[in-house]
Amino acid sequence: QSDSMPNLSVNVSGGNSDDTDGNGGFDISHGGTSPVTITAELRGPYSNVNRFSGLGPDANVAPSATPGVPAQITWNDTNSRQDERSTFWHANHVHDFMKDLDSNFTELDYSMPSVIGRTDGFCPGNAWWDGVGMNYCEESAGADRANTGELGNVIFHEFGHGVTQEVYLKHGSPEPVGDMH
């Protein structure tokens, strides 16, 4: 499925940068007419997706672009994992949903780390909020568990733990017990 990728930081090598808008568009001023390299990772002002230890480098693209000619960034299996793309897209979607509900809620307005492909901690078949970011487990065939970084409702759920934490702290209350969280 092809979707726009809002809130993605895009850079011109050796130049300026821009964050994509709600339609996935960006505009980076650059002098000259020679092709340049644009770079991006699944990172932006509200999400930063990272691979778990041993899974290789994080998703990235570096296509060539000609100033004045629209450039397109395509995320696919050659430059990223499905759980990286899903986690980035859903984390930004739930962030924007939360901002639509309460534009004054700024406590989660940071490049929130998400670690995908985990095999430790609460894995397999789980995900968790660690107080600063979200963590998702790799698929586990032996335990018949899905990759939780590919499940939008799980990503929304983990972001919800961050909302709960910040709302309680904002009002001077300790966080609720686990089952209320």
Side-chain angles (χ1 to χ4, degrees):
Q1 168 173 326
S2 181
D3 286 315
S4 62
M5 194 71 83
N7 302 320
L8 178 73
S9 296
V10 180
N11 308 287
V12 170
S13 291
N16 297 320
S17 64
D18 190 27
D19 295 329
T20 57
D21 62 22
N23 296 316
F26 60 95
D27 187 7
I28 303 173
S29 298
H30 185 77
T33 57
S34 298
V36 295
T37 300
I38 55 176
T39 60
E41 296 179 17
L42 289 171
R43 176 186 307 171
Y46 310 117
S47 181
N48 179 9
V49 179
N50 301 291
R51 292 182 184 179
F52 186 57
S53 171
L55 293 179
D58 294 345
N60 65 80
V61 293
S64 181
T66 302
V69 177
Q72 184 171 337
I73 294 175
T74 302
W75 295 102
N76 56 40
D77 291 341
T78 66
N79 56 30
S80 57
R81 292 169 41 123
Q82 179 61 47
D83 53 351
E84 287 175 296
R85 297 186 302 266
S86 293
T87 297
F88 186 84
W89 192 88
H90 285 289
N92 278 287
H93 190 68
V94 69
H95 174 271
D96 292 348
F97 171 77
M98 190 66 212
K99 295 301 281 189
D100 285 345
L101 293 175
D102 183 357
S103 61
N104 294 318
F105 183 73
T106 59
E107 286 78 3
L108 297 180
D109 287 354
Y110 60 91
S111 190
M112 182 185 294
S114 293
V115 180
I116 55 92
R118 294 192 77 131
T119 55
D120 65 339
F122 299 105
C123 296
N126 211 331
W128 66 96
W129 171 257
D130 64 15
V132 177
M134 302 178 286
N135 299 273
Y136 301 99
C137 297
E138 183 80 326
E139 178 179 359
S140 176
D144 196 29
R145 304 290 171 89
N147 182 323
T148 57
E150 295 180 11
L151 304 173
N153 60 339
V154 173
I155 296 163
F156 271 61
H157 174 95
E158 295 310 323
F159 191 91
H161 285 298
V163 171
T164 300
Q165 171 186 297
E166 295 304 330
V167 167
Y168 271 75
L169 292 174
K170 183 177 188 174
H171 295 285
S173 300
E175 289 190 62
V177 294
D179 55 350
M180 291 287 291
H181 208 301

